[in-house]
Amino acid sequence: MQPVLEVHASGDFNLWPVADVDSFGYLALSGELTPREVGTAVMRIVACNDIDPEQGDRPPRPADPLGSFLHGLLTFDTLFAAGGFRVTDSATGVTFLPGCCNGLEDWREWHRVFDSGWPVDFGHDPDPAAERLGETVLLTVDAERSDSPVIELPVADLRRLLAGAEDDLAGFLALATEWADRNLSHYAVPVVAALARVLDLPPAR
């Protein structure tokens, strides 16, 4: 189980160094990323929230390019980071991926699987869902398909995997904190605070 962020080609982005990404895919977040990969992850999280303010909704964008790009991340009350948790069954090769409109900010929804008597959904197109049946958890890749691949694992294993994924998120946030200090100048403190909010973690500082 890995926390993953949706990424795609960065085009002519030049506000800070980013990794080369050729097409749409997923970047696994952890404390092992390179500085350029951290830059890519931060860019994508910022881009997910880069929406023009509506009249009276939020303060106007700053004039400087960096402040303008960061504006949504720093002014929205509710933040979004396209992605979620990817689970791979190494024995069968089946991979459970977050669906469209699923966000990393909701990763703690996974804990509902332990208590809910109903499937917990993680986006759509595909429609991944997790369901507990006794001491077993079923991860259905696409709940809209009767022939969908399924990953089956014990409840205790899911608890262990979730703890590991949370550690990966915390490791990424620690890296992003160091990265922000080097790359974002006076924006570093508020950006790190916003990243902690979107990852639903305490700040690494």
Side-chain angles (χ1 to χ4, degrees), residues 86-89 92-97 141 149 151:
R86 175 174 64 193
V87 184
T88 303
D89 186 334
T92 64
V94 172
T95 300
F96 178 99
L97 288 168
V141 172
I151 297 175

Side-chain angles (χ1 to χ4, degrees), residues 42 45-46 49 70 72-79 105 172-174 176-181 184-205:
V42 174
I45 293 172
V46 174
N49 300 281
L70 296 173
L73 182 76
L74 301 182
T75 58
F76 268 122
D77 291 331
T78 302
L79 299 172
E105 71 281 358
F172 166 72
L173 183 58
T177 300
E178 298 172 2
W179 176 92
D181 287 337
L184 296 183
S185 183
H186 61 282
Y187 286 107
V189 171
V191 165
V192 168
L195 291 175
R197 284 202 297 123
V198 78
L199 298 176
D200 198 7
L201 291 173
R205 294 185 183 277

Side-chain angles (χ1 to χ4, degrees), residues 5-85:
L5 185 69
E6 289 184 8
V7 294
H8 51 70
S10 57
D12 58 356
F13 182 82
N14 60 7
L15 292 176
W16 58 73
V18 295
D20 292 330
V21 178
D22 293 330
S23 59
F24 175 85
Y26 292 95
L27 175 64
L29 302 184
S30 73
E32 304 298 323
L33 298 184
T34 68
R36 284 182 176 269
E37 288 172 331
V38 175
T40 297
V42 174
M43 176 194 68
R44 287 300 307 138
I45 293 172
V46 174
C48 284
N49 300 281
D50 185 25
I51 300 171
D52 286 330
E54 297 181 2
Q55 187 172 7
D57 174 59
R58 291 176 289 131
R61 287 180 183 268
D64 70 289
L66 179 57
S68 176
F69 183 54
L70 296 173
H71 187 65
L73 182 76
L74 301 182
T75 58
F76 268 122
D77 291 331
T78 302
L79 299 172
F80 174 67
F85 282 0

Side-chain angles (χ1 to χ4, degrees), residues 58-204:
R58 291 176 289 131
R61 287 180 183 268
D64 70 289
L66 179 57
S68 176
F69 183 54
L70 296 173
H71 187 65
L73 182 76
L74 301 182
T75 58
F76 268 122
D77 291 331
T78 302
L79 299 172
F80 174 67
F85 282 0
R86 175 174 64 193
V87 184
T88 303
D89 186 334
S90 57
T92 64
V94 172
T95 300
F96 178 99
L97 288 168
C100 177
C101 299
N102 194 73
L104 268 172
E105 71 281 358
D106 292 327
W107 70 268
R108 293 186 188 276
E109 288 289 295
W110 275 90
H111 291 281
R112 289 179 50 217
V113 175
F114 301 123
D115 304 319
S116 176
W118 301 92
V120 179
D121 300 325
F122 296 98
H124 57 87
D125 293 328
D127 293 72
E131 180 180 11
R132 177 175 180 172
L133 298 176
E135 291 306 307
T136 299
V137 173
L138 303 180
L139 306 182
T140 303
V141 172
D142 188 349
E144 293 298 305
R145 288 176 46 193
S146 60
D147 62 344
S148 172
V150 175
I151 297 175
E152 185 174 324
L153 70 162
V155 168
D157 284 3
L158 180 59
R159 293 188 190 279
R160 175 179 55 80
L161 291 171
L162 281 173
E166 182 173 359
D167 286 345
D168 285 338
L169 285 174
F172 166 72
L173 183 58
L175 276 187
T177 300
E178 298 172 2
W179 176 92
D181 287 337
R182 294 193 302 268
N183 290 274
L184 296 183
S185 183
H186 61 282
Y187 286 107
V189 171
V191 165
V192 168
L195 291 175
R197 284 202 297 123
V198 78
L199 298 176
D200 198 7
L201 291 173

